[in-house]
Amino acid sequence: MKGLMQEHELLISSVIRHAAENHGDREVVTRESDGRITRSCYAQVEQRARQLAAALVGLGIRPGDRVATLAMNSYRHLECYYGISGMGAVLHTVNPRLFAEQISYIINHGQSRALLLDPCFLPLVESIAPRLKKIEHLIVLTESTLMPPAGGRPMLCYEQLLDAAPGSYQWPSFDERSAASLCYTSGTTGQPKGVLYSHRSTLLHALVSLQADCFGLRSVDAVLPIVPMFHVHAWSMPYGCAMAGAKMVLPGNHVDAPSLVELIQSEQVTMALGVPTVWSMLVNHLRDSGQSLPSLQRAVVGGAALPPAIRDALEQCSGARVIHAWGMTETSPTGAVATTTANLEQLSADERRAELLKQGRPPWGVELKITNPEGEPLPSDGISSGQLWIRGPWIARGYFRRGRERVLDEDGWFPTGDVASRDAYGFIKISDRTKDVIKSGGEWISSIDIEHIATAHPQVRFAAAVAADHPKWGERPLLIVVRADGSALGAEELLEYMRPRMARWWLPDAVVFVSELPLTATGKVLKTSLRAAYRDYFLTAPGQPTGNR
Ligand code: ADP
C-alpha cells in the first residue's frame, strides 16, 4: 500500500524559493575583489538565479548539460549554484588553484558547454582557452563597465545577460535523481575524478548538516564559509544557509587573515568553516595583533585532522565551540561530526575534550564500517584500526565518465582510503590516509598523531610527518617543520619535547626545518610532494641518527 502524502521532487530550486519566500530580506554579503562590500539578499538571489536560468536557456543550454564555474565565494557564484542546477543543468565547480593542465583536463572531461568566471581568472582562462574545445560561451561574472577589452575569444557579460533575461522564468520540475552538480577530487594521485551529485543527494545531505548535532544552523546565524564554493559545495553551506535562512558572509578572493578577521568582526559572524591551515593562519594573526572574535560561536574544522593546539588557540581567542568534521568529495562531504552525546556528558571535561578531538560519529543517513585487510569488521575498541568504509544516500557510487569501473564492494560500501579506529562511544579516529601511513618494522605509525604532538610545541607553526625509506626498518618517520616567526628551535630540542609524549618507536628519526610546506589546492599539506622530496633522506643524508625504535 502506498502512503497518502503529496509527491514533491526534492529539487535544489525549492531551497532558494523557500529562502526567498520566508527569509527574503536575509542578507548575502560579499567582499568584492576591490574590497567593497555588496549586500544582496535571498529574494534577490532567487530572482537573479531565475534570470540566469532564462539566459542560459536562451544560449541553448539544455537540462543535463554541464555549466562550469571558476569563481570564489560571492553572491554571483551563489546565483550560479541555483540558476544552473535549478534549470536542470549541472553546476560544474572547478578549482582555480589547480595547475592549468588539471583545470583544462577537468573542464574538458566534464564536457561543460559554458564557463562562468570571476574577472581575476581571465588570464588563466585566456592561457587555456585554446584547449577548451567544448566551451561555447565564456561569461564573466561582472558588470559591463568592468568587462575586459574585446580581443581573443568573445566573452559575455554576466550582468548584461541578466538584464536582458525575462524575470518571468519559472523553475521546472523533474526527477530528483537528476544530476545537479559535478565536483572533481584534487587528484593528488592520478587524474582528478568527477563526483556527480544529484538533487536528492544534495538536499538530504544539506538537511542533515543543519542538525543541532552537526553544524546546528539557524536563521539567526551569520555564516562565513572560508571553505571555497569551488570545492565540495563549501561543505553544503550554499544550500544549508538558504534552508535555514541564515545570513551568508562571502569573502570573495580576500582570504588573508586580516581580511577574514575584519569580516567576522564587522558582519558579526556566528559560524565559520575552514581547513586547519586556514584556522592556523587566523589564530596566529589574532595572537600577533591582540584581537579576538567575540561574535563567533561555532568554528567548524575539517578536510584534515584538527591539531589540538589549533583547537585550544581558537577557543582562547574566540570562545567558539570547535566542531571537528570528517568527509571527502565523494561523501558530499559530511561523513562524521564530533559533537557531544549523552554518554560523553558523563565524562570529565578533559576526557570529553579528548574525545571531541576525534572525527566523530556518522549523522543519520550514513553508515561506517572499519575492516582489516581481509575485509572482516574490526571491533569498536578504540585500538583496532583499518580501512574505513562508508555508504548512504549522499555517498558516490561511481565516478563521472569512467566506464564500468567498479568503485563499491558487493554490499555497496565505498572505500574511503582512510585508516581509522572506532571507540565504544562510536567516535571514529582517522590515523592516516592509507598512502600516508608510515610502515616501520611491520607496524603502522600515525603521521597525524606525530604532527599533533609536534604542533603542540609553541615554536612550531606547521609540521608534517612523512615516511622515508630506511635500510633496517623499511620506513621511518621524518618530521618536516615550519618554525614560528623568530624561532631558532633546534631538532634535538623539539625531539626532547616530543619524546615523553609518544611511544618511543614513533619518535621521528630526524627533523628538517623548512620555510613553508607545499599545500594542495584545497589548503592541505601536500604529502605526495614531501614524500617524493625526502623519500631517500635516511639513505643519503650523512650521519643521521637512525632507529628510534
Ligand atoms: P582532496 O583533499 O584530495 O581534495 P577531499 O577534499 O575529498 O580530497 O579530501 C578527503 C580526505 O581528507 C579524506 O579522505 C581524509 O583523508 C581527509 N580528511 C578530511 N577531513 C578530515 C579530518 N577531519 N581528519 C582527518 N582527515 C580528514
Side-chain angles (χ1 to χ4, degrees):
M1 197 197 309
K2 284 210 166 163
L4 272 174
M5 307 313 283
Q6 298 184 6
E7 303 278 349
H8 289 273
E9 305 288 348
L10 298 177
L11 296 179
I12 284 172
S13 55
S14 71
V15 177
I16 197 64
R17 232 181 32 221
H18 165 81
E21 278 172 20
N22 301 287
H23 307 277
D25 59 357
R26 203 70 178 115
E27 282 182 316
V28 175
V29 177
T30 302
R31 198 195 287 278
E32 304 271 8
S33 54
D34 62 4
R36 268 181 311 130
I37 294 288
T38 300
R39 293 183 184 278
S40 182
C41 61
Y42 285 122
Q44 267 180 42
V45 168
E46 198 261 352
Q47 169 69 37
R48 285 163 54 85
R50 278 191 291 114
Q51 284 167 264
L52 171 61
L56 292 174
V57 171
L59 290 175
I61 302 295
R62 295 174 306 253
D65 284 348
R66 272 75 67 204
V67 176
T69 59
L70 256 180
M72 303 301 288
N73 296 5
S74 74
Y75 68 100
R76 289 192 178 108
H77 202 178
L78 190 65
E79 292 160 5
C80 295
Y81 261 61
Y82 285 107
I84 296 168
S85 300
M87 66 160 288
V90 179
L91 167 79
H92 176 192
T93 54
V94 183
N95 183 341
R97 296 197 189 126
L98 295 167
F99 294 118
E101 294 74 44
Q102 286 173 310
I103 293 174
S104 51
Y105 171 85
I106 287 172
I107 295 175
N108 286 335
H109 191 268
Q111 300 172 317
S112 276
R113 293 185 55 206
L115 170 64
L116 294 104
L117 65 142
D118 277 346
C120 60
F121 300 123
L122 276 164
L124 165 70
V125 170
E126 268 156 19
S127 74
I128 58 172
R131 279 182 266 161
L132 304 181
K133 303 277 186 241
K134 290 263 188 308
I135 295 285
E136 297 159 42
H137 310 286
L138 288 174
I139 303 168
V140 188
L141 292 163
T142 192
E143 53 214 67
S144 55
T145 51
L146 297 176
M147 278 297 284
R153 263 178 94 153
M155 306 223 179
L156 299 166
C157 168
Y158 181 77
E159 291 297 334
Q160 275 177 338
L161 264 186
L162 259 54
D163 286 345
S168 55
Y169 178 89
Q170 295 299 315
W171 298 118
S173 183
F174 44 83
D175 184 351
E176 66 187 25
R177 287 176 173 76
S178 308
S181 58
L182 176 65
C183 180
Y184 279 69
T185 60
S186 302
T188 39
T189 53
Q191 286 292 17
K193 290 183 277 189
V195 180
L196 190 62
Y197 310 92
S198 69
H199 285 256
R200 175 188 157 82
S201 74
T202 306
L203 262 61
L204 290 176
H205 171 264
L207 263 176
V208 161
S209 305
L210 299 185
Q211 290 182 85
D213 281 337
C214 284
F215 304 148
L217 276 177
R218 302 193 306 155
S219 63
V220 292
D221 275 315
V223 178
L224 171 73
I226 310 175
V227 286
M229 288 165 68
F230 56 69
H231 192 59
V232 217
H233 303 143
W235 303 352
S236 197
M237 287 305 111
Y239 310 113
C241 289
M243 278 181 174
K247 167 173 156 178
M248 291 193 82
V249 181
L250 303 170
N253 55 7
H254 296 269
V255 285
D256 57 290
S259 304
L260 290 171
V261 165
E262 200 272 323
L263 205 55
I264 294 172
Q265 291 169 339
S266 60
E267 296 300 329
Q268 294 288 292
V269 167
T270 58
M271 181 172 113
L273 307 89
V275 292
T277 44
V278 164
W279 284 116
S280 161
M281 174 185 90
L282 273 190
V283 293
N284 284 322
H285 172 70
L286 289 167
R287 222 185 259 140
D288 295 348
S289 60
Q291 298 185 72
S292 63
L293 302 174
S295 67
L296 199 67
Q297 297 166 7
R298 268 126 54 235
V300 179
V301 187
L306 163 67
I310 294 185
R311 194 255 312 257
D312 296 348
L314 249 172
E315 287 175 346
Q316 272 160 23
C317 61
S318 69
R321 183 159 65 91
V322 177
I323 302 174
H324 188 198
W326 169 87
M328 52 201 306
T329 308
E330 290 89 335
T331 65
S332 293
T334 306
V337 184
T339 47
T340 193
T341 64
N343 287 336
L344 255 55
E345 290 299 300
Q346 308 300 316
L347 302 178
S348 71
D350 283 351
E351 287 169 329
R352 187 163 53 246
R353 281 172 66 72
E355 198 64 21
L356 291 173
L357 267 180
K358 298 182 179 175
Q359 281 74 9
R361 295 151 48 93
W364 168 83
V366 287
E367 297 171 82
L368 300 177
K369 77 167 178 182
I370 299 171
T371 61
N372 64 14
E374 287 71 48
E376 294 152 355
L378 290 170
S380 296
D381 57 8
I383 300 165
S384 311
S385 77
Q387 156 103 288
L388 177 67
W389 302 74
I390 187 167
R391 68 179 180 190
W394 55 87
I395 311 302
R397 63 181 156 90
Y399 293 101
F400 186 52
R401 294 187 60 225
R402 301 266 295 194
R404 290 174 177 275
E405 181 190 48
R406 196 185 166 130
V407 174
L408 310 182
D409 74 2
E410 53 278 12
D411 296 321
W413 292 93
F414 176 86
T416 65
D418 283 350
V419 182
S421 59
R422 179 153 47 179
D423 64 22
Y425 298 107
F427 276 60
I428 58 159
K429 180 175 185 228
I430 307 280
S431 50
D432 252 316
R433 283 188 163 193
T434 318
K435 49 189 184 289
D436 293 339
V437 115
I438 302 163
K439 299 188 185 83
S440 180
E443 288 179 89
W444 287 10
I445 301 178
S446 160
S447 64
I448 293 179
D449 283 354
I450 298 180
E451 289 157 8
H452 285 180
I453 291 167
T455 46
H457 192 289
Q459 293 184 53
V460 171
R461 182 145 286 183
F462 295 115
V466 293
D469 289 343
H470 190 279
K472 181 165 177 201
W473 299 110
E475 292 176 351
R476 287 295 301 154
L478 173 69
L479 188 65
I480 301 161
V481 171
V482 179
R483 295 185 188 98
D485 289 346
S487 158
L489 179 68
E492 271 315 306
E493 191 186 339
L494 177 56
L495 290 173
E496 278 316 306
Y497 168 85
M498 296 172 70
R499 198 183 302 277
R501 293 172 168 82
M502 64 201 319
R504 194 172 58 86
W505 59 280
W506 284 37
L507 194 69
D509 281 19
V511 181
V512 175
F513 292 99
V514 294
S515 56
E516 57 183 22
L517 291 177
L519 297 183
T520 68
T522 47
K524 308 182 198 182
V525 174
L526 187 56
K527 289 269 180 86
T528 42
S529 128
L530 288 176
R531 273 201 305 274
Y534 292 100
R535 178 101 257 170
D536 294 340
Y537 188 84
F538 296 127
L539 307 178
T540 54
Q544 284 307 319
T546 52
N548 278 320
R549 297 203 45 139

